[in-house]
Amino acid sequence: MTLPATLWAELEHIGLQAGLAAIGACDATVLEPAMSVLPTRKAEGLSATMQFTYRNPRRSTDPTRALTDAESLIVGAWAYHRQPVDPPDQPAGRVASYAWRDHYGELQAALALVAARLELDGFTARIHLDDNNLVDRNVAFRAGIGWYGKNANVLLPGQGSWFVLGSIVTNAPLSATGPPLADGCGPCTRCIDACPTQAIVAPGIVDARRCIAWLVQGPGPIPEEFREAVGDRLYGCDDCQDVCPPNQRMADTELGPEPDADPWIEIEWVLTASDAELLERVGRWYIAGRNPDVVRRTALVVLGNTADPVDPGPRSLIQRYVDHSDDMLSEHARWAQRRLDDRLSSRSTAS
């Protein structure tokens, strides 16, 4: 038995009115291809030290782990891409668009309205987003609101991939809005070609050991071979999305600037702020072990890559960390010194 189409029409209306860019539904059986793919890629080392949905694939691909009598899944997409913001005059770290503000909080609020409507009819509705309990991209694919791009992101027809996704697990028997969409990328390989570290090793397969988005937020040292490629990225990386043709076609419809957005963060502030100050400002980010030194480590790399090599200010800031008690920070500081020296030498040679 499925519920009348009028209820889904009402749920869809509620979601779209709440700001969702798209909403869809599908059955709550085990999610494929995620169930097959996650263990395989983990065994191949492609997940690096990443946990997330890799930690427990059976849990993150079986909706009945979240709700034993689950019948259906609802997925919502929240648009987050904003007009580019110029960096400040001083050295600053770039933040990926999805982390400029708490977009997941906005998505949560929208899905809560949809869930409340289901609960009004006596159904159970549990929201899962950004909590590793469900592979939201697979739900979006199954519900037919988007297809898997070559960079492993989900692309929505006519809208691209600038979205965060979240799901509702419910015992309401809803009709599927699918079927899954056919590949819309065709022969395009721009995302693969543009990746600074060649992390997209095959269409739809990303090697986290090379992916800047993971390297700048994961634990431990950033591998030296990738530090120059990090460039000015303090958190995340948008390169594979920036070059995507559907995303570029959406440029004229990008949302306007936000007063509370944080697209750039001054490196001097990062390297002089206290732990509490850092976490207060960027605590919504995933930071390995909730360790602020992970952010400082990346900030040192950004400083080495971007600061004026003849400016004594950045060098003085780096010097503070050369003898730091944390080996990771001191090693990254020494690298930043060498990087500034190499850039200065290259400048002198060029002139």
Side-chain angles (χ1 to χ4, degrees), residues 87-104:
D89 293 334
Q90 58 185 296
R94 186 162 29 134
V95 178
S97 298
Y98 82 91
W100 286 12
R101 60 176 292 175
D102 183 15
H103 298 292
Y104 279 108

Side-chain angles (χ1 to χ4, degrees), residues 306-325:
T306 64
D308 185 343
V310 300
D311 186 344
R315 287 187 178 273
S316 175
L317 195 56
I318 291 169
Q319 183 62 43
R320 297 188 197 181
Y321 281 86
V322 168
D323 296 320
H324 199 281
S325 58

Side-chain angles (χ1 to χ4, degrees), residues 34-47:
M35 181 60 244
S36 300
V37 164
L38 290 177
T40 300
R41 293 186 184 170
K42 185 174 182 179
E44 293 172 348
L46 295 174
S47 61

Side-chain angles (χ1 to χ4, degrees), residues 155-172:
L155 285 87
L156 278 59
Q159 300 189 73
S161 64
W162 299 109
F163 302 95
V164 289
L165 301 169
S167 301
I168 298 171
V169 184
T170 180
N171 57 0

